[in-house]
Amino acid sequence: MATIKASHTVVPNQPTPKGRLWLSNSDNSTRKAHSPVIYIYKAKHNIEYNIERMKESLSKTLVYFYPVAGRLSLSESGRMEVDCNAKGVTLIEAETAKTLADFGDFSPSDSIKEELVPAIDYHSQPIQEIPLLFVQLTRFKGDQQQQHGLAIGMAYSHPVADGLAWTRFVNTWATVNRGDSLDVNEMPFLDRTILKFPTWSSSLSLLSPPPLSHSDHPELKPLPLILGRSDSTEEQNKKTTASVLKLTSKQVEMLKKKANDQGSTPCTRFEAVAAHIWRCACKARGQHHKQPTIVRFNGDIRNRLIPPLPRNYFGNALVATVTPECYVGEITSRPLSYAARKLREAIALLRDEYIRSQLEAVFGEEQLKCIRAFFLGQGEGRSEPFGGNPNLQITSWINFPVDSTDFGWGKPVYFGLGYVCALDRGIIVRDPQDDGSLIVIMHFQIAHMQLFKKLFYEDIFTSRL
């Protein structure tokens, strides 16, 4: 176990605006608890950080991102909002007797979660008193090769912002810590009311098209189940594990080439790699060729709305989408371009009207019930369908600028999730050390993981994907 050496409360170093910050439907519909991530730094010499400098730079950063220093609260209508009260965030100093090598490739595990990620107690204190950000600086023991390291484990409140926004917050903190000046274009846009759309009833005119209904949103419909079963309980009870799978820039380009349809628009890295993950998952599970399967993932809406959101919008800007329902046999027997095309069809759904309609439809009594339970200390609850076997959840962190997270001791050698997901989920991250390479952090049922890993690399080099 890591040893906690000190814990600090860091508040903005200047007076900041007070009051309640309205949170959008996207903010209110995401997971309620904190999301843990880790940054790993390595050096031949001991990484020396000045805790006073880290506190001072964080304090300055909180002036620009002042809602982060606040607390979650409930509005009269039962929605979450942020009480901008400047109570501060928690910064923890820790050390472990383990070396960098003891953690291997930093695949998510119980050890990572227990030693490198801040622990949060949701039960002995009201949600309204829990900081929105916890940071743990953990120093590793040096090894025989004189490799020294530092982990920055963070647990951030997901209702406050999505992963891309939080990554930009951390990069701003790193910039301030290095002593570099901030560009005016790096300042966050904090007002969420830009996502407070008028209701259809008040915005319709005789020339307006009819609003989209629930039936127009496949992502809101029940997901396929294992053939012959009436629910997903059995799959939810199966244990998962996690592995880090690295793709060189050459391997990424090979997948893109195989995923492209001749004469069509070249597919993206996400489409190619996600299609490959889906295909390997279907093969590893060994299911009947007529088993229905879909991939569910979130799309960033910042540049998809009309007009687009401000470049540095700080908040959740995600909506869910799903591929058309396919048979396992179709995914495994057809070329990789087939699965890639289905992913592209899911992305193509995310147009302005569709996004606005989903954000209006997704927030209702079920979400309010989950929020009430969370504030009563009853856990997060489940506000979205189980996305595991026979389906798959895929998350893209490809656009997270983690290669810029330099606090003064260089780029991180690794960035990833700090816990094992309870369902089959692939997270695609850019390699902080090599912009053309990608890392897939794969969470998969233990029974199928070894075969998945074997197929993951073998299938890249097969003549027909």
Side-chain angles (χ1 to χ4, degrees):
M1 292 293 292
T3 302
I4 304 298
K5 309 297 289 185
S7 180
H8 313 273
T9 297
V10 180
V11 300
N13 74 342
Q14 297 178 25
T16 54
K18 300 292 191 291
R20 300 297 177 100
L21 179 72
W22 183 84
L23 297 183
S24 71
N25 283 6
S26 184
D27 297 323
N28 273 274
S29 301
T30 189
R31 67 169 300 189
K32 310 302 179 282
H34 293 67
S35 292
V37 295
I38 56 171
Y39 296 79
I40 304 298
Y41 296 85
K42 181 168 64 175
K44 282 290 185 182
H45 54 82
N46 199 13
I47 295 178
E48 292 293 344
Y49 68 84
N50 182 314
I51 187 60
E52 292 305 318
R53 185 184 183 92
M54 293 289 284
K55 287 164 59 179
E56 180 184 1
S57 58
L58 179 54
S59 179
K60 289 180 179 179
T61 304
L62 289 174
V63 174
Y64 309 119
F65 294 82
Y66 64 86
V68 173
R71 299 291 184 268
L72 283 183
S73 63
L74 281 177
S75 69
E76 291 183 2
S77 64
R79 297 172 62 99
M80 289 184 290
E81 57 187 11
V82 174
D83 181 4
C84 299
N85 53 24
K87 287 190 174 182
V89 303
T90 298
L91 179 62
I92 300 165
E93 296 179 80
E95 60 183 30
T96 176
K98 293 182 178 179
T99 66
L100 278 163
D102 290 330
F103 286 94
D105 60 8
F106 291 93
S107 297
S109 64
D110 289 342
S111 178
I112 294 286
K113 181 180 179 181
E114 292 168 2
E115 296 200 48
L116 305 183
V117 173
I120 303 174
D121 180 7
Y122 292 104
H123 303 292
S124 65
Q125 56 185 328
I127 297 297
Q128 295 91 329
E129 295 300 322
I130 297 177
L132 302 178
L133 175 66
F134 292 78
V135 182
Q136 180 175 314
L137 309 174
T138 306
R139 193 187 299 279
F140 297 99
K141 180 183 177 182
D143 60 21
Q144 292 180 343
Q145 285 74 43
Q146 296 302 308
Q147 290 281 3
H148 295 268
L150 177 73
I152 301 182
M154 299 189 182
Y156 60 79
S157 174
H158 212 318
V160 173
D162 58 23
L164 177 58
W166 277 109
T167 304
R168 289 172 173 167
F169 165 86
V170 177
N171 284 0
T172 301
W173 177 21
T175 298
V176 176
N177 194 72
R178 292 196 309 268
D180 295 344
S181 58
L182 294 174
D183 190 281
V184 65
N185 294 324
E186 296 179 83
M187 294 299 103
F189 186 91
L190 302 172
D191 184 8
R192 319 301 173 86
T193 59
I194 197 170
L195 285 180
K196 185 183 281 187
F197 307 132
T199 61
W200 282 108
S201 59
S202 64
S203 62
L204 284 177
S205 71
L206 293 176
L207 298 178
S208 300
L212 295 172
S213 67
H214 247 61
S215 62
D216 296 309
H217 285 279
E219 75 281 356
L220 301 180
K221 297 177 181 178
L223 304 183
L225 298 169
I226 298 286
L227 289 174
R229 297 186 191 167
S230 59
D231 60 41
S232 60
T233 303
E234 184 175 338
E235 295 307 308
Q236 291 185 49
N237 290 333
K238 291 181 179 178
K239 297 291 186 182
T240 55
T241 185
S243 290
V244 169
L245 305 168
K246 297 186 177 182
L247 291 170
T248 65
S249 56
K250 181 179 179 181
Q251 290 170 329
V252 173
E253 289 305 312
M254 290 175 68
L255 287 173
K256 286 180 65 177
K257 183 177 180 180
K258 294 184 178 188
N260 280 330
D261 277 325
Q262 288 188 351
S264 66
T265 304
C267 71
T268 64
R269 291 188 295 175
F270 169 75
E271 290 165 348
V273 175
H276 180 57
I277 295 170
W278 191 11
R279 199 162 189 267
C280 292
C282 288
K283 285 185 175 184
R285 290 165 176 165
Q287 291 163 331
H288 192 276
H289 69 283
K290 286 294 186 180
Q291 169 65 57
T293 178
I294 59 93
V295 170
R296 180 183 173 94
F297 59 97
N298 287 328
D300 187 336
I301 64 174
R302 286 170 172 81
N303 293 320
R304 295 181 180 276
L305 287 168
I306 303 174
L309 294 178
R311 178 179 174 273
N312 288 328
Y313 179 79
F314 184 76
N316 286 280
L318 301 171
V319 295
T321 188
V322 294
T323 62
E325 190 173 297
C326 303
Y327 289 130
V328 163
E330 294 175 318
I331 301 300
T332 58
S333 65
R334 296 190 179 186
L336 189 65
S337 59
Y338 177 81
R341 189 164 63 247
K342 297 305 175 183
L343 286 153
R344 178 167 292 187
E345 289 175 25
I347 295 169
L349 292 173
L350 302 180
R351 302 178 304 276
D352 180 75
E353 180 191 356
Y354 192 94
I355 293 167
R356 293 169 186 267
S357 173
Q358 184 191 132
L359 288 176
E360 184 174 338
V362 76
F363 188 81
E365 184 54 41
E366 186 63 30
Q367 290 288 351
L368 289 171
K369 190 184 303 181
C370 289
I371 291 171
R372 284 195 296 270
F374 180 62
F375 274 78
L376 289 172
Q378 298 171 0
E380 290 187 83
R382 181 175 294 280
S383 58
E384 61 182 39
F386 175 73
N389 193 12
N391 309 301
L392 190 63
Q393 184 85 24
I394 294 184
T395 302
S396 175
W397 288 354
I398 295 174
N399 292 327
F400 287 18
V402 293
D403 54 342
S404 300
T405 314
D406 178 4
F407 284 85
W409 48 77
K411 299 178 181 180
V413 296
Y414 177 80
F415 168 78
L417 202 60
Y419 72 104
V420 180
C421 296
L423 54 79
D424 293 350
R425 179 187 182 192
I427 302 175
I428 309 171
V429 190
R430 73 163 74 174
D431 186 337
Q433 297 285 306
D434 181 359
D435 189 49
S437 301
L438 297 176
I439 297 171
V440 174
I441 307 171
M442 190 66 195
H443 304 252
F444 210 51
Q445 288 181 3
I446 293 174
H448 305 308
M449 179 62 93
Q450 285 305 116
L451 181 54
F452 177 91
K453 290 164 63 176
K454 179 174 180 287
L455 293 166
F456 186 83
Y457 289 109
E458 280 185 356
D459 278 13
I460 295 175
F461 299 100
T462 57
S463 59
R464 176 180 172 83
L465 273 180

